[in-house]
Amino acid sequence: MTTPSHVDVRDLSVTVRRPDGTLLRIVDSVSFSIPRGEVLALIGESGSGKTTIALSLMGYARGGAVISGQIRVGNASLDGVGPASLAAQRGNRITYVAQSAAAAFNPSRRIIDQVIEPALIHRTAAAPAARERAIGLFRALALPTPETIGERYPHELSGGQLQRLMAAMALITKPDVVIFDEPTTALDVTTQVEVLQAFRRVFREEGATGVYVSHDLAVVAQMADHILVLNGGKVREQNSAATLIAEPQDDYTRMLMSAAQPVVQAITPPAPKAATPLLEIDGIFAGYGPIDREGRPANPVLSAVSLSIGKGAALGVIGESGSGKSTVARVVAGLLTPTAGTVSLDGEVLAPTLAERTREQLRRVQIVFQNADVALNPAHSVGEILARPLRFYHGKTGADARRRVNELLDLTRLPSSVIDRRCGELSGGQKQRVNLARALAAEPDIILCDEVTSALDTVVRGAILDLLGDLRRDLGLAYLFISHDIATVKALCDEIVVFYKGTRVEHGTSDAYAAPPYHPYTELLITSVPELRPGWLADYPYQPVAPVANVTQSSDICRFLQRCPRSRQGLCDIAAPPLRTLENGSRILCHLDTSELAH
Amino acid sequence: MSGSASAQRPTWIAPLRLIAARIGAALLTLLLVSMVIFAISGLLPGDAAQEALGQGATAGQIAALRHEMGLDQPGPVRYVRWLGGIVKGDPGTSIVANQPVSKIISERLPNTLRLAALTSMVAVPLAFLIGVFSAIARGRRLDRALNVLTLSMVALPEFLVATLAVLLFAVKLRWLPSIALVPQEPTLGEFLRAYTMPVISLAVIVVAQMARMIRAAIIAELDRPYVEMARLKGVRPGRLIFRHVLPNAIGPIVNAMALSLSYLFGGAIIVETIFSYPGLASLMVNAVTSRDMPLLQACAMIFCATYLLLVLIADTVAILANPQLRKG
């Protein structure tokens, strides 16, 4: 007996009208079906139409796009029905989990009111019953204090918690289909694992049918039964998750899979270290907020951070959000004045603030931010953006500057046609190249890269990493490369530093991070990265560790203690961890030695 | 994961502290403004004693009167004495009318308050409706029509609106009186007839300003992801605006209202003049022309205090509406 599929989509197309009046098909004749209780993943790069398809399942299109084709969910047909019938389905039979729960929750309303709102407006439950179901879901999603967490406002909760609360909101009406739109993309790897585990568990319990949108094949492999690969609004391949990953048929699928594991052509490490490193950071303390009488900021971030980078070397800095890795870059760049410690360039101590540094010092240290959209002036053309540092640092104007701008575009492999365009008209990868070209215009000795590849798709990320590698080889640039993604850092850098809560917990060569032993926190970071095989999540060994009660808030003891699966009572919670050197040359801040950490 | 264990502080402490800081800032501003007012009114050409005695007065008479009025004292002394008087509710004696300034103002202030209140009652709901509807219909025909309307209302000088209203309703149609004189014990009809035209003339400009700022505040919210999320939850437009958008837009909206409403005090001069309405603004202009410094200074202080009060109320509402500020 063949059961009719639960969700059925035939010849779905979505068309937008471009500013010049021509029509553009952003989704082209896509068909799929999902049996009840299964999860279909839509995977592709940005612009592949995956989110557009997911939203059109709710009869919703952004920016006045037009949906055509047949869409059936459960017993309801969604094509060609009016706004009232659509509103009756949305949030009721079909629900949505947005990419950034932090932005998608209303900041001025309590969580619980927002979570039960769909049940109330669609009258699937009365308020007390809905509240009870919400608390049950909070518990199933492993949220802390499920009875009272709903009384809080969004700004009082973390990103991972909000993402799970949003899943509770999506499940409150017992929907026919739940759409997950990149629900873990904005999270740290360690948080991502917890959230994915919670999603999987609750999906099993609820028997829900889902659509999971992601650009990350490894994540999708954990969550989906079927995978649909999209590119440019067209289906490239559609198969069961296990088959697709084991035997990808389409070239594009294979490219996605290889891009998930970035490899940068090996670079011969720079000549043996000169007497003075290019950049040296010594004993930096820094933070935000007003500074008290003893010189401590209200929110201390970095404590006693020391690093050094040789000429042409690449040092990677990894850690979760809030670990202080971006603060390091801000201190080096002079954007944040440290409360103690020094930054020196070629042995010469740099002034703590931008205003006191010489133009030459400014030129030699450039910073590139994560988000090119925000960092580049949207009112200026690419040519103007690049011409400005040329005039400021090198006094180049007119034809001279024009020639150099073209060289910079060549260097970053951008077509010279972009010179008169504004950044808003460029793709994400192109914008990040412009962002890099702007830093290169100064002809710096070192570039501080702050999460420069984090907002990019895997394929684009690979291309930017290649470019960074080539620039380093050709121009002898040094990098301080900050990222939360260990695979990216390993691909590009010679040495890696791991940050946890503003302290350096491990420092070693990239090769040392290939296998244990490492610091327990590094271990957590590395094992949290999803692997490209179904079942990885089910086998994932890590369980959240119950916090050690009544830890004395001494700044000396290990900061990772509360989350450490290897912590030892009577050792870790009493004394400060020593700085020890492991057999592979890595230096770690831990009580345990090589043999204890190796397995 | 922390927070649940954090010590329970009373939840009203954080907002109270913020509001107290705003009040302190407002009082400081008022003090600085009082200095500026006092200094500037001293810079105005002419001399009150000279003005009071006329052209024929001798230098001796003027000096005697100056001494009597305390004008020969050094500036800081006069300032402190004047400020002390203001604080005690006695801003001095009008030089021209020879009456206590407080008495003159107490005759005029209720008129200004009444006109401002009536105009607000008309303008605030109207501006709110226009702002909300044009925000919802952004880019569509209704929005464009409302835009043209509010823009032309902003662009029209109010003396033109008032004059046209007089020409139409008083001269041509003879429905309303051209002078806003309210009899001692007015009936509702008389009251409405007297106030309709001044209120319309004032409301035109205030409504347009407020509506445009409300529209901008709501549109800024409509572009945020939580609005799309609410739509995807099946929230209907009415609930979306009132339950989701307005709580977030209330801060900018009340600030826009405070700015517009403060205009009803000092900015009503043209309307007061055209309709011969005995309000504070025309009193202040008269004080300028007759060099009646105590009266001028008191009027200026009232306008500044009103403005600061309105902004303070707006700030307080904004603080209380924002959970992030409210909870500290």
Side-chain angles (χ1 to χ4, degrees):
Chain A
M1 192 182 86
T2 54
T3 49
S5 52
H6 190 54
V7 175
D8 205 32
V9 173
R10 290 278 150 259
D11 290 326
L12 173 70
S13 292
V14 181
T15 320
V16 290
R17 189 176 287 276
R18 278 186 285 210
D20 59 6
T22 55
L23 295 175
L24 175 70
R25 271 196 172 193
I26 51 175
V27 171
D28 193 5
S29 307
V30 170
S31 303
F32 57 85
S33 55
I34 314 172
R36 183 179 285 280
E38 289 200 357
V39 176
L40 172 79
L42 304 177
I43 186 159
E45 297 169 84
S46 45
S48 63
K50 55 191 193 300
T51 294
T52 310
I53 293 172
L55 288 174
S56 60
L57 286 180
M58 309 183 84
Y60 185 88
R62 287 176 179 154
V66 179
I67 303 170
S68 66
Q70 295 169 329
I71 304 163
R72 184 179 58 75
V73 174
N75 300 320
S77 184
L78 280 117
D79 40 290
V81 302
S85 336
L86 283 177
Q89 294 292 320
R90 290 176 188 158
N92 182 7
R93 305 322 312 146
I94 314 161
T95 59
Y96 183 71
V97 178
Q99 172 166 2
S100 169
F105 271 120
N106 190 324
S108 64
R109 305 183 68 204
R110 287 182 197 279
I111 292 288
I112 190 78
D113 295 335
Q114 304 191 49
V115 168
I116 65 171
E117 187 177 27
L120 300 186
I121 54 181
H122 298 294
R123 300 178 200 286
T124 60
R131 210 170 270 266
E132 207 169 297
R133 173 157 167 81
I135 290 171
L137 286 167
F138 294 165
R139 190 170 291 122
L141 287 159
L143 283 156
T145 61
E147 286 81 14
T148 55
I149 194 167
E151 298 306 315
R152 303 204 194 174
Y153 287 93
H155 74 272
E156 299 173 291
L157 297 158
S158 72
Q161 291 170 343
L162 288 171
Q163 214 66 51
R164 281 178 276 169
L165 289 164
M166 183 148 279
M169 181 163 85
L171 291 165
I172 195 88
T173 53
K174 303 195 173 112
D176 290 327
V177 186
V178 185
I179 297 164
F180 287 89
D181 189 0
E182 303 249 16
T184 62
T185 305
L187 303 176
D188 282 317
V189 277
T190 49
T191 319
Q192 171 173 269
V193 176
E194 288 171 31
V195 171
L196 289 178
Q197 283 178 323
F199 282 178
R200 247 175 76 96
R201 191 166 51 243
V202 82
F203 250 69
R204 289 265 168 70
E205 285 170 17
E206 298 276 324
T209 309
V211 172
Y212 197 100
V213 176
S214 178
H215 69 279
D216 189 336
L217 208 48
V219 166
V220 155
Q222 314 312 316
M223 302 302 291
D225 303 294
H226 269 76
I227 299 178
L228 195 151
V229 181
L230 287 158
N231 181 27
K234 290 195 175 78
V235 178
R236 296 301 290 257
E237 187 170 357
Q238 190 171 357
N239 216 328
S240 78
T243 316
L244 187 126
I245 284 163
E247 300 156 28
Q249 300 298 311
D250 191 81
D251 288 343
Y252 182 74
T253 314
R254 278 194 283 267
M255 189 177 81
L256 272 184
M257 288 177 71
S258 63
Q261 318 285 336
V263 182
V264 174
Q265 207 187 326
I267 295 167
T268 28
K273 281 177 189 160
T276 48
L278 174 67
L279 184 82
E280 186 155 35
I281 303 166
D282 190 26
I284 290 281
F285 286 79
Y288 301 93
I291 290 165
D292 68 11
R293 226 171 285 152
E294 284 151 59
R296 275 187 311 234
N299 301 310
V301 178
L302 299 179
S303 61
V305 169
S306 301
L307 299 171
S308 73
I309 303 173
K311 250 187 188 53
L315 178 72
V317 176
I318 60 168
E320 293 164 305
S321 48
S323 62
K325 52 194 193 306
S326 291
T327 306
V328 174
R330 290 173 55 85
V331 168
V332 173
L335 294 170
L336 180 73
T337 306
T339 53
T342 55
V343 177
S344 350
L345 188 64
D346 265 342
E348 182 186 336
V349 174
L350 292 178
T353 62
L354 277 178
E356 297 168 79
R357 292 189 184 176
T358 66
R359 189 168 289 203
E360 180 64 8
Q361 287 170 339
L362 293 179
R363 179 188 69 74
R364 296 180 63 189
V365 181
Q366 292 289 312
I367 188 164
V368 178
F369 292 106
Q370 168 173 8
N371 208 332
D373 283 320
V374 182
L376 302 175
N377 188 333
H380 287 178
S381 70
V382 171
E384 287 166 333
I385 287 170
L386 299 183
R388 177 144 173 80
L390 291 176
R391 191 169 62 239
F392 183 79
Y393 291 116
H394 303 291
K396 283 198 168 105
T397 50
D400 215 13
R402 193 87 181 163
R403 193 162 47 241
R404 181 69 186 141
V405 166
N406 274 311
E407 284 171 20
L408 288 168
L409 294 179
D410 264 0
L411 207 54
T412 48
R413 291 173 216 144
L414 281 164
S416 57
S417 59
V418 302
I419 199 161
D420 292 317
R421 290 166 71 187
R422 303 219 167 132
C423 290
E425 304 166 42
L426 305 180
S427 71
Q430 286 178 322
K431 272 184 270 196
Q432 202 54 280
R433 286 169 196 268
V434 173
N435 209 5
L436 260 177
R438 189 211 47 78
L440 291 172
E443 295 171 30
D445 294 327
I446 181 164
I447 298 186
L448 316 173
C449 301
D450 189 359
E451 300 268 15
V452 290
T453 58
S454 304
L456 304 173
D457 286 317
T458 43
V459 176
V460 182
R461 181 185 70 181
I464 294 281
L465 283 177
D466 279 341
L467 173 64
L468 285 169
D470 291 353
L471 288 173
R472 185 179 159 205
R473 192 168 36 242
D474 299 344
L475 306 176
L477 279 172
Y479 294 128
L480 177 68
F481 190 87
I482 294 160
S483 175
H484 66 277
D485 178 19
I486 192 152
T488 309
V489 174
K490 265 202 257 184
L492 187 74
C493 298
D494 328 310
E495 287 181 28
I496 300 175
V497 171
V498 182
F499 266 65
Y500 184 74
K501 289 195 178 166
T503 53
R504 196 179 62 167
V505 295
E506 177 157 5
H507 183 176
T509 61
S510 284
D511 300 335
Y513 290 87
Y518 4 72
H519 188 280
Y521 175 60
T522 313
E523 184 180 20
L524 176 63
L525 277 183
I526 290 175
T527 56
S528 297
V529 180
E531 287 171 23
L532 194 50
R533 63 179 172 88
W536 169 82
L537 187 65
D539 303 340
Y540 184 69
Y542 177 74
Q543 291 294 322
V545 178
V548 182
N550 295 327
V551 188
T552 37
Q553 283 300 315
S554 151
S555 59
D556 292 343
I557 62 162
C558 177
R559 295 177 182 214
F560 187 57
L561 174 63
Q562 297 213 19
R563 290 170 63 191
C564 186
R566 293 178 182 269
S567 70
R568 300 232 177 113
Q569 254 183 345
L571 175 68
C572 297
D573 52 351
I574 293 171
L579 183 66
R580 67 167 76 236
T581 306
L582 298 177
E583 277 165 17
N584 59 15
S586 293
R587 279 167 296 155
I588 65 167
L589 210 55
C590 189
H591 288 285
L592 308 179
D593 60 28
T594 303
S595 59
E596 290 166 303
L597 292 170
H599 51 85
Chain B
M1 265 145 271
S2 70
S4 60
S6 73
Q8 280 291 312
R9 260 192 326 172
T11 49
W12 44 265
I13 292 252
L16 211 62
R17 209 175 269 167
L18 276 174
I19 293 165
R22 294 288 200 287
I23 292 176
L27 289 177
L28 185 68
T29 313
L30 199 58
L31 184 72
L32 292 173
V33 165
S34 75
M35 290 179 194
V36 173
I37 287 173
F38 196 83
I40 285 184
S41 54
L43 291 178
L44 281 178
D47 181 276
Q50 170 90 59
E51 198 77 10
L53 293 172
Q55 290 291 326
T58 66
Q61 285 171 314
I62 292 174
L65 186 60
R66 282 179 61 88
H67 179 72
E68 193 186 315
M69 294 166 78
L71 292 179
D72 54 350
Q73 303 264 353
V77 174
R78 282 186 287 140
Y79 170 71
V80 170
R81 193 182 296 160
W82 169 74
L83 193 66
I86 295 257
V87 171
K88 279 182 286 190
D90 173 24
T93 307
S94 162
I95 297 168
V96 177
N98 227 337
Q99 279 181 335
V101 168
S102 54
K103 181 164 180 292
I104 301 175
I105 286 179
S106 65
E107 285 165 11
R108 295 285 191 111
L109 187 60
N111 290 337
T112 287
L113 286 178
R114 197 176 303 125
L115 183 59
L118 284 171
T119 310
S120 311
M121 279 163 61
V122 174
V124 169
L126 200 58
F128 189 76
L129 284 180
I130 294 178
V132 168
F133 275 102
S134 58
I136 297 174
R138 169 169 39 156
R140 294 210 294 268
R141 205 168 291 158
L142 174 66
D143 179 38
R144 285 207 295 268
L146 288 172
N147 257 331
V148 170
L149 180 75
T150 52
L151 270 178
S152 38
M153 279 157 79
V154 168
L156 277 181
E158 49 188 345
F159 65 82
L160 189 65
V161 177
T163 313
L164 288 176
V166 168
L167 278 175
L168 184 65
F169 294 112
V171 178
K172 198 89 181 165
L173 299 170
R174 294 177 182 271
W175 289 352
L176 298 169
S178 66
I179 291 177
L181 275 183
V182 188
Q184 278 298 313
E185 299 274 316
T187 63
L188 185 64
E190 284 170 333
F191 187 81
L192 288 180
R193 278 167 58 84
Y195 274 103
T196 301
M197 280 204 289
V199 165
I200 288 177
S201 316
L202 272 180
V204 161
I205 189 145
V206 178
V207 164
Q209 286 173 352
M210 272 197 279
R212 293 192 65 78
M213 287 192 275
I214 290 170
R215 173 182 182 271
I218 292 181
I219 282 181
E221 289 299 318
L222 285 177
D223 284 339
R224 292 181 50 184
Y226 75 82
V227 173
E228 179 173 79
M229 186 69 227
R231 289 207 173 105
L232 293 175
K233 278 158 78 176
V235 173
R236 306 291 171 93
R239 188 184 171 94
L240 180 72
I241 292 291
F242 285 99
R243 300 291 287 275
H244 287 262
V245 171
L246 277 183
N248 291 294
I250 203 79
I253 287 179
V254 287
N255 265 299
M257 287 182 170
L259 286 175
S260 293
L261 294 183
S262 66
Y263 174 80
L264 293 178
F265 281 77
I269 173 67
I270 291 164
V271 169
E272 284 184 14
T273 308
I274 288 180
F275 297 103
S276 309
Y277 185 80
L280 272 187
S282 47
L283 186 69
M284 181 166 168
V285 173
N286 291 341
V288 173
T289 49
S290 62
R291 309 279 183 277
D292 195 346
M293 288 310 153
L295 185 56
L296 171 62
Q297 291 160 344
C299 288
M301 285 299 286
I302 288 176
F303 293 147
C304 290
T306 316
Y307 176 79
L308 288 171
L309 183 70
L310 284 167
V311 172
L312 184 67
I313 293 171
D315 275 353
T316 307
V317 171
I319 288 170
L320 294 180
N322 183 340
Q324 216 155 331
L325 296 177
R326 188 167 72 223
K327 304 193 93 189

